[in-house]
């Protein structure tokens, strides 16, 4: 327990108190100040301004500061003066100090001898000339020490523009899991559900590290949940500080999409009638993937004894990781780094307190002892940046991401926000520096899908990343290369060649799909998806090729991409079976429509296999002609020969696709057209999936589809399919689709928009937005990452009509009525393109 | 807190006594009686677990409307009645009136039930995911806890849309192996968020089809069904209550919830 009353304070230097006006003289033309890191001072000065301190800057080295400071009324306290120093000082003493009611002894001058004028000396101003002794570093320390003396100021403020904010007002306990998911902060390496720091009856905290799995005996790997580092259980005079005890006066939680920060403002009346106010923020640093930050300011209407429990100061080894936390307690005039995980302290209305907690997490995948590394990492952060510096670096990193990733839609506020929510969570899920992990179906927002990776990543999420953050996209494809040995082994186990990727994979790439599920009605439902949903291999090949096509990243193609394309093509070449019709067939599979299992010749699977074989052959010939040395290496390492490549081409032309030239329709699988025709529309309105309402067996015997299957083909292979074919198939399959998967509506929105059916497209677009943002509670277990990626694709490919031509990207927009414009950035072949439709600019 | 059993001198009405005894025991309540139409008790009631003295309550006569309103005014706590109450004393509609007028819980005992003792071992709580049903949760859980019973929560995946915002089955089941366990967990977690369920045996079941039929099927194997309702026997929203009071052989505990939030 830390008893602050007994803690020793810093030695008395005359500077160990609070000053209300700071005059800083920093002239970069002088030898001692040259090369000073002015940028590093920005967060500190920003914080001082927010704390009400008047800051007068002299000299020219800091002229760029105001443009980098956060906007707000606090900037009125910043005074830039490049005129005569003596005149400025006289203005400070005669005008500024009286106006602000500041005593002269509360003015601190930081600078050289030029500041020593008679008026100032007679006013007993303390001068600290850093240039004399330690130079700019001393100045910085001095300012930081001052900043720490001004507590009750969070390191930043929420963004003002409501289109960047996801706001949860009040407290409704049944929504708690949804809010935790929706307001998750993550940086691709670490993800933190935004549970209430003090807990509630429904709180389900979760901190996850990408790729860190528990391996329960007899079960499938599960995304490991790390200890609740943000826990702050508190009492005041024995009364627990919790939303469900006492009365909530006001409660706002804000996910600040622009800054990647979860804010909270909570005013509460405790059972004894006293009111407390808590403001806080937390984040997973986008600038430092090992770092988590939390800041809380607490004020109380009356005095009392506050006790706070939580991992305030400790380091520990947890499953596969090391965690270290350090917490700084700031009160007026005092700053203490806590030495224990319990704090007991008196509070009063006049004496609020601020807790700033930094936590470092290092997994065993990184070299060295994770606990030692986490502790060292934390020390380095504290020494180099402090919380405010780390906060600023994080916000800057998000600004950089948004510069490329933001899409502006004028005229549709709800969609604008929904799209930013989607982009935020997609960007939050990826670590571009780690190719050993991928993004699970719920990202780092929840553990419901155990962190398992599906085709969701390549087909739904990757397009957004490939076009806005190719480094991240490459890392995700790197995971598929990293797990290629497991895919090869899986194909071999099943008697095939090449690589068959797992339907569900975790850390190793081995298939981790359960074989059955017990439904809530007690029925044991066997699962065949793990064995039969083999289209995932072609889906991954598709993502590889799209990435290369978009980025022109030849090095990737030669190092990793071609190998994936070849091995997946090999799989299909060994998977097909000759039929009596002299064609090749793929039997006993499941397509994206999972209502129909063990089917033959699923159109999606077969056409994607054709596509996979064709692209592999194409790439093999390309490498042979353009990079003969690489081709030689691949022949040696992979055994790919000209004969095998020729065989891929020949086979691709003979695979049965179920396409009827007369009608222009693909038959979704052999025998589909003979099934009972049931229209989902006849069962609307409904809130339950059709297989639940009608029963699994009946749905299996009908033409009802779970999700886009042939329609998914239309989406992925648009440039290979003529418009009449796309039109005919969409009109046939769309009415038969029950959308029992969240992956379905966005693809229908995209295809409909590209066909020009905007009414239909808008309907599916709105349905997609409601998946996580609607009132049904779908987000409780985590965000639907594929649907979020699908929403982005529906807007960009569908309504924006993005096409990637040989001369670059272009839009063929089909904007909804009411949209005044659409503006986006994409990266194509190393260049950034700003694309505008309508009157966006 | 009282448990008041309504008697009319018939064997059908007497059959409600063991249910009243068990309900009173489970809740630590005292047992009382009100007689309607006739005040007549057998000399020996020991086989039903009570004495005649314990059932020495007032006699109410008159029209069923008047009797129902006087019972509503007099009863403090739960009312226990046989579905055949009043039939032989010219008040055949008395049970239905009591359902509409009673402010407290009403335990409805099917008149065909004639056992000498009854134990609450398994309680079925049909829950449509609405706040209205949740409003009755505290009383249900208290009863289950007091009786040392198991709680079966039944949610029916029904056609159509819920009448009010409700947490119902997931609209999207991307992967059933994760979606269904997650939904079950979430459903129960939300209940536990409102009323602690620690140390209780709670099981969530999913039914299919029309709610009244699904609940009737599930009720067959329960000792008691609890329903939150608003007291109206008109309209579709009371279909479940109608079905259970007319077709089920399982006792039904009706828990009044405010009209604004009732199903």
């Amino acid at each position: 327990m830390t008893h602050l009353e007994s803690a020793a304070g810093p030695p008395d230097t005359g500077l160990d108190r609070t000053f209300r006006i700071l005059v800083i003289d920093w002239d970069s033309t002088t030898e001692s100040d040259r090369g000073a890191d002015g940028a590093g001072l920005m967060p500190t000065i920003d914080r001082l301004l927010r704390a009400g301190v008047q800051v007068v800057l002299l000299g020219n080295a800091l002229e760029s500061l105001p443009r980098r400071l956060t906007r707000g009324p606090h900037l009125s306290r910043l005074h830039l003066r490049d005129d005569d120093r003596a005149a400025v000082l006289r203005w400070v003493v005669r005008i500024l100090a009286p106006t602000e009611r500041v005593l002269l002894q509360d003015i601190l001058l930081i600078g050289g001898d030029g500041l020593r004028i008679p008026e100032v000396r007679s006013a007993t101003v303390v001068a600290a000339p850093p240039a004399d002794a330690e130079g700019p570093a001393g100045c910085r320390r001095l300012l930081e020490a001052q900043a720490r003396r001004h507590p009750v100021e969070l390191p930043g403020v929420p963004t003002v523009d409501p289109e960047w904010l996801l706001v949860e007002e009040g407290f409704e306990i049944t929504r708690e899991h949804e809010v935790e998911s929706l307001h998750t902060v993550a940086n691709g390496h670490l993800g933190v559900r935004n549970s209430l720091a003090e807990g509630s009856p429904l709180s389900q905290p979760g901190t996850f590290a990408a790729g860190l799995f528990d391996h329960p005996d007899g079960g499938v790997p599960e995304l490991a949940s790390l200890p609740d580092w943000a826990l702050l259980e508190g009492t005041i005079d024995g009364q627990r500080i919790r939303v469900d005890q006492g009365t909530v006066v006001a409660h706002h939680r804000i996910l600040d999409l622009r800054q990647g920060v979860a804010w909270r403002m909570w005013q509460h009346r405790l059972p004894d009638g006293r009111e407390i106010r808590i403001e806080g923020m937390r984040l997973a640093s986008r600038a430092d993937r090992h770092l988590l930050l939390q800041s809380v300011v607490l004020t109380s209407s009356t005095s009392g004894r506050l006790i706070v429990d939580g991992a305030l100061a400790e380091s520990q080894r947890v499953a596969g990781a090391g965690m270290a936390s350090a917490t700084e307690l700031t009160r007026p005039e005092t700053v203490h780094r806590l030495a224990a995980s319990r704090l007991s302290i008196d509070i009063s209305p006049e004496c609020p307190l601020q807790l700033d907690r930094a936590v470092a997490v290092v997994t065993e995948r990184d070299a060295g002892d994770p606990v030692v590394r986490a502790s060292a990492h934390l020390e380095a952060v504290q020494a180099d940046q402090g919380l405010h510096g780390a906060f600023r670096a994080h916000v800057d990193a998000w600004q950089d991401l948004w510069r490329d990733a933001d899409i502006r839609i004028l005229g549709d506020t709800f969609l604008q926000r929904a799209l930013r929510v989607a982009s935020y969570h997609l960007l939050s899920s990826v670590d571009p520096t780690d190719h050993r992990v991928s993004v699970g179906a719920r990202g780092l927002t929840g553990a419901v899908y155990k962190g398992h990776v599906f085709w969701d990543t390549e087909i739904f999420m990757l397009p957004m990343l490939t076009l806005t953050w190719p480094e991240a996209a490459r890392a995700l494809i790197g995971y598929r290369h990293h797990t290629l040995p497991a895919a090869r082994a899986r194909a071999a186990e099943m008697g095939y060649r090449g690589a068959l990727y797992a339907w569900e994979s975790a850390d190793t790439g081995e298939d981790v799909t359960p074989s059955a599920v017990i439904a809530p009605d007690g029925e044991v439902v066997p699962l065949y998806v793990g064995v039969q949903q083999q289209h995932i291999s072609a889906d991954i090949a598709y993502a590889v090729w799209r990435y290369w096509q978009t980025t022109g990243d030849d090095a990737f193609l030669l190092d990793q991409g071609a190998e994936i394309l070849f091995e997946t093509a090999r799989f299909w070449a060994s998977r097909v079976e000759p039929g009596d019709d002299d064609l090749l067939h793929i039997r006993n599979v499941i397509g994206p429509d999972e209502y129909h299992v063990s089917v033959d010749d699923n159109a999606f699977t077969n056409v994607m296999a054709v596509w996979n074989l064709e692209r592999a052959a194409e790439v093999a010939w390309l490498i042979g002609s353009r990079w003969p040395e690489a081709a030689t290496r691949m022949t040696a390492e992979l055994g790919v020969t000209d004969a095998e490549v020729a065989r891929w081409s020949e086979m691709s032309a003979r695979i049965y696709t179920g396409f009827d030239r007369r009608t222009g329709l693909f038959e979704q699988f052999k025998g589909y057209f003979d099934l009972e025709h049931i229209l989902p529309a006849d069962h609307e309105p409904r809130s339950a999936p059709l297989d639940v309402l009608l029963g699994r067996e009946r749905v299996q015997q009908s033409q009802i589809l779970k999700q886009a299957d042939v329609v998914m083909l239309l989406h992925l292979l648009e440039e290979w399919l003529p418009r009449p074919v796309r039109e005919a198939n969409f009109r046939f399959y769309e009415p038969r689709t029950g959308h029992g998967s969240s992956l379905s509506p966005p693809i229908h929105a995209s295809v409909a928009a590209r066909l020009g059916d905007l009414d239909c497209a808008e309907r599916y677009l709105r349905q997609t937005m409601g998946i996580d943002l609607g009132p049904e509670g779908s987000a409780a277990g985590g965000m639907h990452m594929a649907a979020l990626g699908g929403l982005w694709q529906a807007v960009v490919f569908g309504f924006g009509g993005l096409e990637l031509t040989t001369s670059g990207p272009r839009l063929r927009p089909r904007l909804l009525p009411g949209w005044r414009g659409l503006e986006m950035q994409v990266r194509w072949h190393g260049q950034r393109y700003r694309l505008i439709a309508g009157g966006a600019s | 807190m009282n448990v008041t059993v309504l008697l009319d001198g018939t064997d059908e009405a007497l059959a409600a006594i063991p249910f009243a005894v068990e309900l009173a025991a489970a809740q630590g309540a005292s047992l009382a009686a009100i007689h309607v139409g006739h005040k007549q008790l057998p000399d020996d009631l020991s086989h039903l677990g009570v004495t005649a003295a314990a059932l020495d309550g007032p006699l109410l006569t008159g029209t069923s409307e008047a009797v129902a309103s006087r019972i509503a005014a007099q009863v403090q706590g739960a009312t226990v009645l046989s579905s055949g109450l009043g039939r032989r004393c010219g008040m055949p509609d008395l049970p239905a009136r009591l359902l509409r007028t009673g402010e407290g819980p009403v335990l409805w005992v099917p008149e065909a039930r004639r056992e000498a003792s009854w134990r609450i071992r398994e309680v079925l709580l049909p829950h449509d995911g609405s706040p209205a049903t949740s409003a009755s949760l505290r009383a249900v859980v208290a009863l289950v806890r007091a009786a040392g019973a198991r709680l079966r929560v039944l949610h029916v995946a029904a056609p159509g849309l819920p009448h009010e915002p409700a947490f119902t089955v997931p609209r999207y089941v991307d992967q059933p192996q994760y979606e269904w366990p997650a939904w079950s967990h979430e459903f129960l977690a939300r209940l536990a968020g409102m009323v602690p369920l620690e140390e209780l045996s709670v099981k969530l079941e999913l039914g299919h089809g029309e709610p009244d039929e699904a609940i009737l099927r599930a009720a067959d194997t329960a000792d008691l069904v609890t329903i939150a309702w608003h007291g109206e026997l008109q309209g579709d929203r009371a279909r479940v209550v109608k079905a259970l009071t007319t077709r089920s052989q399982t006792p039904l505990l009706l828990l009044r919830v405010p009209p604004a939030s009732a199903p």
Side-chain angles (χ1 to χ4, degrees):
Chain A
M1 182 183 292
T2 301
H3 290 282
L4 293 175
E5 294 79 357
S6 62
D12 183 9
T13 61
L15 297 175
D16 304 325
R17 65 187 183 86
T18 302
F19 294 89
R20 294 187 54 201
I21 294 179
L22 301 180
V23 181
I24 306 167
D25 182 16
W26 188 330
D27 186 346
S28 64
T29 60
T30 67
E31 185 63 32
S32 61
D33 293 353
R34 191 170 296 151
D37 178 16
L41 277 177
M42 291 176 201
T44 309
I45 291 178
D46 195 73
R47 186 181 175 192
L48 286 163
L49 293 169
R50 289 178 185 286
V53 178
Q54 300 283 333
V55 178
V56 182
L57 291 178
L58 304 174
N60 54 24
L62 299 174
E63 282 181 354
S64 63
L65 259 179
R67 289 190 291 276
R68 299 288 301 274
L69 292 169
T70 54
R71 293 178 185 176
H74 62 292
L75 279 186
S76 65
R77 291 189 281 273
L78 177 65
H79 311 279
L80 296 173
R81 303 295 292 259
D82 58 0
D83 43 338
D84 176 70
R85 284 174 173 70
V88 173
L89 290 174
R90 279 193 285 274
W91 170 78
V92 168
V93 171
R94 294 171 184 171
I95 306 297
L96 183 62
T99 303
E100 298 298 324
R101 299 180 181 179
V102 174
L103 300 175
L104 293 184
Q105 61 264 34
D106 290 335
I107 300 175
L108 176 64
L109 304 183
I110 304 173
D113 290 339
L115 297 177
R116 299 180 189 280
I117 65 169
E119 290 91 334
V120 173
R121 271 199 298 272
S122 64
T124 63
V125 175
V126 177
D132 292 352
E134 300 175 88
C139 174
R140 181 173 166 176
R141 272 198 289 276
L142 201 53
L143 287 178
E144 286 175 349
Q146 280 298 303
R148 284 196 296 271
R149 292 183 173 281
H150 295 276
V152 299
E153 281 290 338
L154 296 176
V157 293
T159 298
V160 174
D161 184 348
E163 291 185 345
W164 284 97
L165 304 177
L166 189 62
V167 180
E168 180 73 15
E169 296 281 0
F171 178 75
E172 184 182 336
I173 193 162
T174 54
R175 268 187 57 76
E176 203 48 31
H177 289 169
E178 288 169 78
V179 177
E180 289 176 347
S181 300
L182 286 162
H183 289 226
T184 290
V185 292
N187 62 13
H189 183 58
L190 301 171
V192 185
R193 286 171 66 81
N194 194 23
S195 55
L196 299 175
E198 72 282 3
S200 78
L202 206 65
S203 290
Q204 188 170 282
T207 296
F208 310 108
L212 193 62
F213 289 89
D214 287 333
H215 294 264
D217 289 340
V220 297
E222 301 174 352
L223 190 62
S225 187
L226 300 174
D228 182 17
W229 64 276
L231 179 70
L232 285 174
E233 290 180 322
T235 61
I236 296 180
D237 292 340
Q239 299 172 95
R240 291 195 72 176
I241 303 173
R242 287 193 15 157
V243 285
D244 58 326
Q245 296 183 22
T247 307
V248 175
V249 179
H251 196 216
H252 318 279
R253 279 175 285 181
I254 300 171
L255 177 65
D256 187 334
L257 304 163
R258 181 179 235 156
Q259 301 189 90
V261 178
W263 304 96
R264 183 184 185 197
M265 274 71 80
W266 174 30
Q267 198 168 346
H268 197 74
R269 189 173 301 117
L270 295 176
D272 72 353
R274 90 178 72 193
E275 280 197 11
I276 58 168
R277 180 178 174 83
I278 290 177
E279 296 179 65
M281 74 87 199
R282 68 171 68 169
L283 61 87
S285 173
R286 194 68 259 188
D288 178 348
R289 68 189 190 125
H290 298 291
L291 185 63
L292 304 167
L293 297 178
Q294 179 189 34
S295 187
V296 173
V297 173
L298 187 149
T299 55
S300 171
S301 63
T302 58
S303 299
R305 189 71 177 176
L306 172 72
I307 295 176
V308 178
D309 285 303
L312 302 176
E314 60 186 44
S315 57
Q316 57 180 321
R317 181 184 286 271
V318 293
M323 293 179 81
S325 62
T327 305
E328 205 170 68
L329 170 68
T330 308
R331 312 184 77 190
E333 306 294 330
T334 58
V335 179
H336 294 270
R337 182 163 168 176
L338 301 180
S341 285
R342 163 168 276 207
L343 168 67
S344 178
I345 189 172
D346 289 328
I347 59 167
S348 65
E350 304 78 30
C351 196
L353 63 84
Q354 176 164 350
L355 288 170
D356 295 328
R357 174 156 51 184
V359 173
V361 181
V362 175
T363 70
E364 289 176 348
R365 285 200 312 276
D366 303 302
D369 182 298
V371 179
V372 172
R373 287 202 57 196
S375 299
H377 193 92
L378 196 58
E379 289 300 325
V381 168
Q382 300 244 317
D384 298 343
Q385 304 176 79
L387 180 115
H388 290 75
F391 178 90
R392 179 52 52 192
H394 162 80
V395 170
D396 288 346
W398 267 106
Q399 301 292 351
D400 290 344
L401 283 180
W402 283 119
R403 201 165 296 127
D404 285 336
D406 188 34
I407 298 175
R408 289 182 62 222
I409 296 175
L410 301 183
D412 193 332
T413 299
F414 186 67
L415 174 61
Q416 176 70 81
R417 187 183 295 113
L419 195 55
R420 282 179 175 149
V421 168
S423 297
Y424 165 83
H425 281 293
L426 289 164
L427 296 170
S428 296
S429 300
V430 196
D431 178 0
T433 67
D434 194 345
H435 67 279
R436 297 162 299 179
V437 301
S438 187
V439 182
R442 296 293 180 265
L444 295 170
T445 67
V448 160
Y449 275 64
K450 301 186 187 299
H452 293 181
V453 180
F454 298 75
W455 71 317
D456 305 32
T457 314
E458 282 74 21
I459 296 301
F460 291 85
M461 306 178 213
L462 213 62
M464 182 265 191
L465 297 166
T466 299
L467 281 159
T468 62
W469 197 9
E471 298 82 2
R474 178 164 180 170
L476 293 182
I477 298 176
Y479 167 80
R480 294 302 191 180
H481 188 260
H482 176 65
T483 56
L484 193 52
R488 286 193 179 105
R490 182 166 164 74
E493 282 169 18
M494 297 175 71
Y496 304 115
R497 299 183 66 227
L500 171 59
Y501 281 97
W503 177 242
E504 296 182 29
S505 61
D507 44 358
T508 66
E510 294 171 15
D511 186 61
V512 292
T513 313
S515 57
V517 57
I518 301 175
D521 58 6
E523 184 185 11
V524 178
V525 181
L527 292 173
Y528 302 106
V529 288
V531 176
Q532 296 184 4
Q533 210 149 355
Q534 297 172 353
H535 63 78
I536 189 170
S537 277
D539 305 334
I540 290 166
Y542 177 88
V544 165
W545 194 83
R546 283 292 190 201
Y547 169 82
W548 174 66
Q549 182 201 39
T550 304
T551 62
D553 187 348
D554 294 335
F556 158 78
L557 183 71
L558 298 176
D559 289 345
Q560 298 182 352
E563 188 176 356
I564 294 175
L565 282 167
F566 296 162
E567 292 291 23
T568 49
R570 260 183 181 152
F571 166 73
W572 294 117
S574 66
R575 179 65 175 81
V576 295
E577 306 169 32
D580 297 337
D581 53 4
D582 202 32
L583 295 175
L584 300 172
H585 299 266
I586 302 175
R587 299 194 171 100
N588 203 31
V589 296
I590 299 176
D593 163 33
E594 292 156 345
Y595 285 166
H596 298 92
V597 303
S598 306
V599 301
D600 293 342
D601 289 322
N602 166 249
F604 180 86
T605 305
N606 288 22
V607 173
M608 290 300 287
V610 169
W611 187 94
N612 195 163
L613 288 162
E614 286 177 348
R615 295 292 85 69
E618 187 179 303
V619 166
W621 297 127
L622 178 74
I623 292 175
S625 62
R626 194 184 293 179
W627 300 287
E629 287 183 11
T632 303
R633 175 176 59 81
M634 288 181 191
T635 301
E637 292 178 359
L638 304 176
V640 178
T641 63
D642 288 350
E644 184 177 20
V645 172
R647 184 169 156 73
W648 291 344
S649 293
E650 181 268 327
M651 294 178 92
S652 70
R654 290 178 53 214
I655 292 179
Y656 176 88
T657 62
F659 182 68
D660 183 336
R661 290 183 183 281
R662 185 177 52 82
T663 61
L665 293 178
F666 288 96
E667 185 175 28
Q668 185 177 293
F669 54 84
K670 272 269 181 66
Y672 173 83
F673 289 149
D674 301 328
L675 297 176
E676 182 187 3
H677 179 41
I678 299 177
L679 280 177
D682 292 341
H683 298 272
E684 299 288 353
R686 60 189 166 88
S687 61
L690 284 169
D691 63 330
V692 172
L693 293 178
L694 303 179
R696 274 189 319 116
E697 288 187 5
R698 179 149 190 237
V699 166
Q700 281 178 1
Q701 299 305 315
S702 79
Q703 290 184 352
I704 295 174
L705 311 180
K706 180 178 180 182
Q707 60 184 304
D709 194 303
V710 172
V711 171
M712 178 59 86
L713 272 184
L714 313 182
H715 175 68
L716 296 182
L717 304 180
E718 192 202 58
E719 61 257 55
W720 283 274
L721 299 171
R723 183 188 166 97
V725 171
R726 287 185 282 123
E727 183 86 39
N729 282 278
F730 186 75
R731 297 301 168 209
F732 183 84
Y733 285 105
E734 186 268 333
R736 289 164 171 78
T737 307
H739 307 290
S741 163
S742 69
L743 280 57
S744 193
I747 300 307
H748 280 74
S750 183
V751 174
R754 289 188 83 107
L755 289 172
D757 186 346
L758 292 186
D759 287 343
C760 180
E762 182 175 14
R763 184 159 41 89
Y764 285 118
L765 184 74
R766 305 279 169 213
Q767 188 175 343
T768 304
M769 285 189 277
I771 290 170
D772 281 315
L773 295 178
E776 296 89 3
S778 303
M783 300 296 287
H784 293 70
M785 302 303 296
L788 298 176
L791 177 66
W792 189 93
Q793 292 191 55
V795 170
V796 171
F797 296 127
F799 296 95
L802 178 67
E803 294 178 349
L804 301 172
T805 70
T806 52
S807 59
R810 72 172 183 214
L811 297 182
R812 296 184 63 186
R814 303 155 184 92
L815 304 187
L816 285 174
W819 290 11
R820 298 197 306 277
L822 183 150
E823 179 181 333
M824 71 180 85
Q825 289 75 232
V826 297
R827 289 169 66 179
W828 186 81
H829 283 246
Q831 302 292 317
R832 285 178 165 82
Y833 290 79
R834 184 160 172 256
L835 305 172
I836 298 172
S841 62
Chain B
M1 172 73 176
N2 278 337
V3 169
T4 302
V5 60
L6 304 182
L7 304 170
D8 63 3
T10 65
D11 288 346
E12 288 87 344
L14 283 178
I17 291 175
F19 297 88
V21 169
E22 167 70 359
L23 186 64
Q27 297 191 320
S30 55
L31 181 65
I34 293 178
H35 301 265
V36 298
H38 302 286
K39 185 172 183 179
Q40 183 177 351
L41 289 171
D43 293 337
D44 183 10
L45 290 168
S46 60
H47 65 288
L48 297 177
V50 289
T51 62
L55 301 176
D56 183 22
L59 171 65
L60 304 179
T61 57
T63 65
S64 61
E65 183 178 4
V67 168
S69 69
R70 287 172 66 189
I71 290 173
Q74 289 187 24
V75 170
Q76 301 289 317
T79 307
V80 181
L81 59 94
S82 162
S83 62
L85 181 76
R87 190 180 301 143
R88 297 193 186 176
C89 55
M91 291 184 272
D93 60 343
L94 182 60
R97 284 189 183 280
L98 289 167
L99 291 189
R100 287 198 298 273
T101 55
E103 290 299 317
V106 176
L107 178 60
W108 176 282
V109 181
E111 60 181 290
R113 296 290 296 260
R114 294 298 171 87
E115 54 265 61
S117 66
W118 177 64
R119 289 289 175 269
I120 305 174
R121 290 175 296 253
E122 193 163 275
V123 175
L124 180 72
L125 169 64
H127 200 311
D128 57 3
S130 71
T133 307
S134 292
S136 70
L137 188 64
R138 192 168 295 281
V140 175
V141 168
L143 175 62
V144 168
R145 203 179 282 284
R150 296 182 297 274
L151 178 62
R152 290 165 55 199
V153 180
L154 174 68
H155 181 79
V156 181
L161 296 174
H163 293 295
E164 60 181 314
F167 183 71
T168 182
V169 290
R171 177 72 174 78
Y172 306 103
V173 182
D174 294 356
Q175 296 291 306
Q177 61 270 37
Y178 302 114
E179 215 68 64
W180 286 121
W183 176 78
S184 302
H185 170 79
E186 179 67 19
F187 200 103
L188 291 178
R190 288 181 179 216
L191 300 189
M194 289 177 270
V195 180
L197 299 176
E198 290 96 353
E199 299 172 12
L200 275 189
S201 169
V202 184
K203 182 185 173 194
L204 177 64
E205 299 174 5
L206 180 65
H208 300 271
E210 293 298 335
D212 50 352
E213 297 297 330
I215 294 168
L216 280 170
R217 285 193 296 274
D220 281 349
T221 54
D223 299 305
L224 176 67
V225 182
T226 66
I227 293 281
W229 86 307
H230 53 26
E232 288 297 327
L233 283 173
Q234 304 299 318
D236 292 341
R237 304 181 93 191
R239 253 175 68 178
V240 171
V241 173
K242 279 185 182 173
L244 286 166
T245 52
T246 58
R247 296 164 57 195
S248 175
Q249 290 306 307
T250 304
L252 172 66
L253 183 62
L254 291 142
L255 296 161
R256 278 299 266 273
V257 293
S261 60

